Amino acid sequence: MANDLWSCYCCTEALTCWLRLKLSPEEIEQRYRSKEIDRILEKDKQTLRRQVKLLLLGAGESGKSTFLKQMRIIHRVKFEPELVREYQHVIYQNIVKGIQVLVDARDKLAIPWENPRNLDIGQQALHFNSSASLDSLLFMHYAPHIHSLWLDRAIKRAYDRRREFQLSDSVSYFFSDLERIARPDYVPSRCANKLNRCDSRKTNRLAEALNIFDTIVNNVNFKGISIILFLNKSDLLAKKVASKETDIRWYYPQFTGDPHNLQDVQMFILNMFANVRREPKTTLYHHFTTAIDTHNIEVVFNSVKDTILNRNLESLMLQ
Ligand SMILES: Nc1nc2c(ncn2[C@@H]2O[C@H](COP(=O)(O)OP(=O)(O)OP(=O)(O)O)[C@@H](O)[C@H]2O)c(=O)[nH]1
Ligand SMILES: [Mg+2]
């Protein structure tokens, strides 16, 4: 056995010498480089194999970007200056689009203006530029008009009836901070998000989310993968459930629990999602989340990591 090894070693040595004699120094260099590249590729392959990829899918405005931003905060990934500037523009757009949605809703709901001057201002606001070209200077010019509209009781009343139309959840936060945002030296401290598509969306958001989930969970390309369902905006759900002004049975008459009990409503919603699966064996984990709450997302993300780890261990044991 020892002899075999020895002769094998001699063979390799001889081969290397022979190669050295046959190849030019450049060719030898190239071969070394090629070997090195192969080694790096193999290492990357191993690393990739150990990586877990999460695909974040969901309806518009459901909180995907907010969730990712929390990931950056939790893992202390810095926000680059370009990203901060981008948020600044998105915030301007959010505010202008938000006031346009509210002015339009006030018109449709026929709520009389408190301040008659706002009739004119409101009409002008509908033509404000809310495209990506909206810059700080133009926004500063709009800001006093937007402020005057936001202070009008008519807009407040339209805002209180926002469940009859679609308005981004961040709107009131931005309006109440308008004075600071309209300053030339304003730098966003909180992540802003898009308000696009507010006028065009007629479907109730839960129904829209269920439709999207149906497409994902029953898609043949995703067969066999595990799904983690984040039922986001739990804070808003809790507020809605507590409010006597709304009732889930108006939208889902089949609901039989207590409409003002958060757990009953959450279980009902979760069951709706679970029942969409045509293949009940598809593993479905779920979390009720509040993506604007860093601590909540940190806890949820740790639990997701545990789930993935346990799944990997289980599949290793089955091998
Ligand atoms: N109250 C509350 N607001 C939330 C929550 N998650 C996200 N939001 C707000 O909802 C809005 C939409 O969030 P985004 O993260 O932009 O949603 P998205 O899924 O990335 O939307 P698109 O990129 O348009 O598809 C933003 O104003 C967020 O601040 C939450 O858990 N609670
Ligand atoms: Mg997004």
Side-chain angles (χ1 to χ4, degrees), residues 231-244 248 255 257-270 288-290:
L231 292 156
N232 192 34
K233 306 201 182 180
S234 292
D235 57 327
L236 295 182
L237 183 70
K239 270 193 208 151
K240 282 205 172 168
V241 168
S243 161
K244 296 284 171 204
I248 189 164
F255 177 83
D258 174 356
H260 298 297
N261 178 301
L262 182 61
Q263 219 183 349
D264 281 9
V265 174
Q266 282 182 327
M267 284 308 121
F268 173 77
I269 294 175
L270 177 62
F288 292 97
T289 58
T290 300

Side-chain angles (χ1 to χ4, degrees), residues 239-305:
K239 270 193 208 151
K240 282 205 172 168
V241 168
S243 161
K244 296 284 171 204
E245 282 170 26
T246 185
D247 190 317
I248 189 164
R249 289 173 301 187
W250 299 344
Y251 308 94
Y252 297 95
Q254 68 271 35
F255 177 83
T256 51
D258 174 356
H260 298 297
N261 178 301
L262 182 61
Q263 219 183 349
D264 281 9
V265 174
Q266 282 182 327
M267 284 308 121
F268 173 77
I269 294 175
L270 177 62
N271 275 331
M272 280 203 287
F273 279 90
N275 291 337
V276 157
R277 283 174 305 173
R278 272 178 236 138
E279 175 54 78
K281 275 196 222 130
T282 311
T283 320
L284 181 66
Y285 303 98
H286 72 273
H287 291 278
F288 292 97
T289 58
T290 300
I292 50 169
D293 175 351
T294 309
H295 177 67
N296 176 265
I297 296 306
E298 194 166 10
V299 171
V300 167
F301 189 65
N302 284 336
S303 157
V304 167
K305 274 199 294 195

Side-chain angles (χ1 to χ4, degrees), residues 29-47 49:
E29 171 71 23
Q30 267 176 9
R31 282 191 180 215
Y32 274 130
R33 230 183 274 155
S34 160
K35 276 241 155 53
E36 184 60 15
I37 293 172
D38 284 349
R39 200 184 56 78
I40 294 171
L41 284 178
E42 184 54 34
K43 211 172 143 211
D44 284 354
K45 216 158 79 185
Q46 306 251 345
T47 316
R49 232 182 260 145

Side-chain angles (χ1 to χ4, degrees), residues 60-66 170 193 197 232-233 235-236 290-291:
E61 289 261 312
S62 57
K64 302 176 294 291
S65 302
T66 312
S170 53
N193 300 284
R197 302 188 296 269
N232 192 34
K233 306 201 182 180
D235 57 327
L236 295 182
T290 300

